Amino acid sequence: GEDVEQSLFLSVREGDSSVINCTYTDSSSTYLYWYKQEPGAGLQLLTYIFSNMDMKQDQRLTVLLNKKDKHLSLRIADTQTGDSAIYFCAESTLSGTALIFGKGTTLSVSS
Amino acid sequence: DAGVTQSPTHLIKTRGQQVTLRCSPKSGHDTVSWYQQALGQGPQFIFQYYEEEERQRGNFPDRFSGHQFPNYSSELNVNALLLGDSALYLCASSAGTERGYTFGSGTRLTVV
């Protein structure tokens, strides 16, 4: 069955890099996403990667995909206090269909 | 450009009652999905509507039903509310040419 696993907490200092990891089980996953959720808010799409890509970079964000190990990571460079939030990894098998989410990683950034 | 709009933002219902939540998708989006997010959990897919039809459904009982209108807005109805239905209900919209979804801020439902 489909399952997405994430570590629950990550604590970093301001200015450091943060790496949030995710593993998934569905080998037919086509798109993998990273969403950010701030307290009391909905989900904000940060970035996504197609399963035939290994890496995608977007400003401070770098996504790495190891399809063989079904492992996805999100690296945030120069982490700021405003990056403190819950980060969700999600997969879908076809564009536009249901997203399967992990439980989220709470990122805490201290100054 | 307004994003996804959900109403109400909060509501409290009594066990056994029925509730209707509403969602207006982002301009240009024609597909609406609903998710339930329990406290401390990731969102769980309820169902998706496209062209006024339910296109895909998650593992939720028939007490959960929905509708999509010709203007692409959508409603989520939950009958015979249980305490366990207390959650943040998120609406997400998308268009066929875009990747990912735009989420609303959600409706916080508390069942007492």
Side-chain angles (χ1 to χ4, degrees):
Chain A
E2 303 163 332
D3 199 11
V4 176
E5 298 284 341
Q6 299 179 238
S7 53
L8 295 182
F9 297 101
L10 177 64
S11 181
V12 301
R13 288 184 178 271
E14 191 174 25
D16 288 349
S17 292
S18 306
V19 179
I20 302 171
N21 295 299
C22 168
T23 58
Y24 59 98
T25 58
D26 193 339
S27 59
S28 64
S29 293
T30 306
Y31 292 95
L32 295 132
Y33 304 85
W34 284 104
Y35 281 86
K36 176 183 180 182
Q37 186 175 38
E38 297 183 78
L43 301 175
Q44 174 193 354
L45 176 64
L46 292 176
T47 187
Y48 66 91
I49 189 168
F50 188 54
S51 60
N52 68 353
M53 297 169 64
D54 297 324
M55 186 183 85
K56 182 177 180 181
Q57 189 155 1
D58 184 1
Q59 299 182 335
R60 293 191 298 124
L61 305 179
T62 302
V63 178
L64 295 177
L65 174 60
N66 182 328
K67 194 173 181 181
K68 173 176 172 289
D69 294 337
K70 300 189 183 69
H71 182 267
L72 182 74
S73 69
L74 173 70
R75 179 178 180 269
I76 305 173
D78 188 24
T79 311
Q80 302 298 307
T81 54
D83 295 322
S84 293
I86 302 175
Y87 290 80
F88 290 96
C89 169
E91 63 170 355
S92 68
T93 52
L94 288 171
S95 176
T97 59
L99 295 176
I100 308 299
F101 285 87
K103 292 187 176 181
T105 298
T106 298
L107 174 64
S108 175
V109 183
S110 57
S111 57
Chain B
D1 174 30
V4 177
T5 304
Q6 292 188 241
S7 63
T9 54
H10 298 82
L11 78 164
I12 300 174
K13 289 287 189 178
T14 302
R15 194 170 41 182
Q17 285 188 314
Q18 178 264 345
V19 69
T20 298
L21 311 182
R22 296 177 175 83
C23 172
S24 293
K26 180 180 178 180
S27 177
H29 285 187
D30 58 7
T31 302
V32 173
S33 302
W34 287 92
Y35 289 79
Q36 179 195 66
Q37 185 179 18
L39 200 61
Q41 301 295 315
Q44 298 287 318
F45 175 73
I46 303 174
F47 41 57
Q48 182 182 84
Y49 278 84
Y50 173 70
E51 291 188 342
E52 303 179 50
E53 296 285 333
E54 183 182 289
R55 183 160 72 174
Q56 188 178 2
R57 188 179 183 92
N59 188 26
F60 278 80
D62 292 344
R63 298 187 297 107
F64 290 77
S65 63
H67 189 77
Q68 185 179 35
F69 298 93
N71 66 353
Y72 307 119
S73 67
S74 177
E75 289 182 350
L76 164 65
N77 300 292
V78 186
N79 294 322
L81 284 166
L82 304 173
L83 297 180
D85 295 330
S86 295
L88 179 67
Y89 288 84
L90 295 164
C91 172
S93 71
S94 62
T97 57
E98 291 184 13
R99 301 289 180 251
Y101 291 90
T102 300
F103 279 81
S105 297
T107 294
R108 173 72 62 186
L109 172 65
T110 302
V111 182
V112 297

